[in-house]
């Protein structure tokens, strides 16, 4: 298993997992806001990972006809 090299990569992975597991946007943004105080790279990675996974899931839903 690949271990993230820096806090951005760790945040990106956590953000992707949060989106995949169904964390609401409101809660994701609250986590990002809290993380920014301590580690801006982690917060940016979390945001990017969450948004990317959300966009990918949206495209997959559109192409498969899933209307959930």
């Amino acid at each position: 298993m690949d271990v993230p090299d820096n806090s951005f990569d760790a945040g990106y992975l956590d953000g992707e997992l949060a989106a995949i597991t169904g964390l609401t946007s409101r809660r994701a943004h609250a986590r990002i806001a809290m993380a920014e105080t301590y580690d801006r790279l982690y917060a940016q990675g979390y945001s990017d990972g969450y948004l990317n996974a959300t966009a990918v899931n949206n495209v997959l839903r559109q192409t498969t006809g899933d209307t959930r």
Side-chain angles (χ1 to χ4, degrees):
M1 179 177 180
D2 291 332
V3 177
D5 292 336
N6 59 43
S7 60
F8 179 87
D9 291 341
Y12 194 92
L13 178 62
D14 288 347
E16 283 183 317
L17 292 173
I20 291 168
T21 59
L23 186 72
T24 64
S25 177
R26 172 179 254 173
R27 293 192 77 176
H29 283 87
R31 288 182 182 180
I32 293 164
M34 287 186 288
E36 266 199 0
T37 304
Y38 302 101
D39 188 348
R40 289 181 183 254
L41 273 177
Y42 178 88
Q44 185 62 52
Y46 191 97
S47 176
D48 289 352
Y50 184 85
L51 293 173
N52 181 59
T54 302
V56 168
N57 287 336
N58 184 41
V59 169
L60 290 173
R61 279 187 174 175
Q62 289 177 356
T63 58
T64 61
D66 189 357
T67 58
R68 284 189 271 166

